[in-house]
Amino acid sequence: MQVLFSHGKESGPWGGKIKRLASVAEQLGWGVDSIDYRDLLDPDDRVQRLVEHGLKYAEPLVLCGSSMGGYASVCASQQVKPAGVFLLAPALSLPGYQHPSPALVCEQRCIVHGWTDDVVPVEHVIRYAQADNIPLMLMPDGHRLLDSMDLIAQLFRDFLTRIVPPQA
């Protein structure tokens, strides 16, 4: 059981959101890892790094990506075939991305996005989620989702326990 985190364009592999969600995963017995993309500005180069990294893990694998890391997680799901993908303000339908609306390939899916996101318009994410019937939680928050971390941590806990129920 492994969670593989992918950070956003202006973040790092162990930023506040990832640390918080990694703690949730570890409490449930999941292993955690986070890829460092700070040397890669191109989103599709990040996808390739995630695919190479993700193929090393045994099942079940969960990809968790924020912003550009969300885009990388969605694209990588097509090759890595994770058990689940948990997305935070995913960078979808943005100019300059090779795949503006990539298919999400996994059984368990969840998107969390802020109503007042000024980086990735909420309309893009609503359309994306609606097109494939993906669960979408909209928060009274911006792109970084910092004011919603308590609720996001609970959503992530629930998400992981749907994939592997806790042992009694």
Side-chain angles (χ1 to χ4, degrees):
M1 300 184 329
Q2 183 75 31
V3 178
L4 186 52
F5 292 97
S6 291
H7 65 83
K9 181 179 181 179
E10 296 177 3
S11 185
W14 293 105
K17 280 186 287 200
I18 290 176
K19 283 182 185 177
R20 178 78 184 271
L21 297 180
S23 174
V24 169
E26 289 173 329
Q27 290 170 12
L28 294 171
W30 289 74
V32 297
D33 195 4
S34 187
I35 299 174
D36 189 348
Y37 299 108
R38 291 175 292 186
D39 62 322
L40 299 175
L41 295 178
D42 183 274
D44 294 295
D45 289 342
R46 291 177 179 218
V47 171
Q48 188 57 40
R49 182 170 290 171
L50 177 53
V51 168
E52 291 168 4
H53 211 81
L55 290 173
K56 298 176 186 177
Y57 291 104
E59 295 180 4
L61 174 66
V62 166
L63 302 179
C64 180
S66 178
S67 194
M68 189 183 284
Y71 169 84
S73 295
V74 171
C75 291
S77 75
Q78 298 165 20
Q79 295 176 57
V80 175
K81 310 243 185 319
V85 176
F86 192 86
L87 302 169
L88 302 167
L92 299 169
S93 302
L94 295 180
Y97 285 60
Q98 185 176 350
H99 307 285
S101 191
L104 179 54
V105 180
C106 62
E107 189 169 318
Q108 292 293 326
R109 311 169 301 170
C110 183
I111 301 173
V112 180
H113 203 81
W115 275 113
T116 59
D117 191 321
D118 61 350
V119 176
V120 180
V122 67
E123 298 81 18
H124 293 189
V125 177
I126 291 171
R127 275 194 305 273
Y128 181 83
Q130 185 176 29
D132 201 21
N133 201 29
I134 299 170
L136 171 62
M137 299 297 297
L138 292 170
M139 303 292 170
D141 210 339
H143 186 69
R144 298 188 67 210
L145 295 167
L146 296 179
D147 293 335
S148 303
M149 282 311 299
D150 289 341
L151 181 53
I152 292 169
Q154 184 59 51
L155 289 169
F156 191 57
R157 176 180 301 282
D158 294 346
F159 182 82
L160 293 177
T161 59
R162 282 194 303 276
I163 295 170
V164 178
Q167 301 297 319

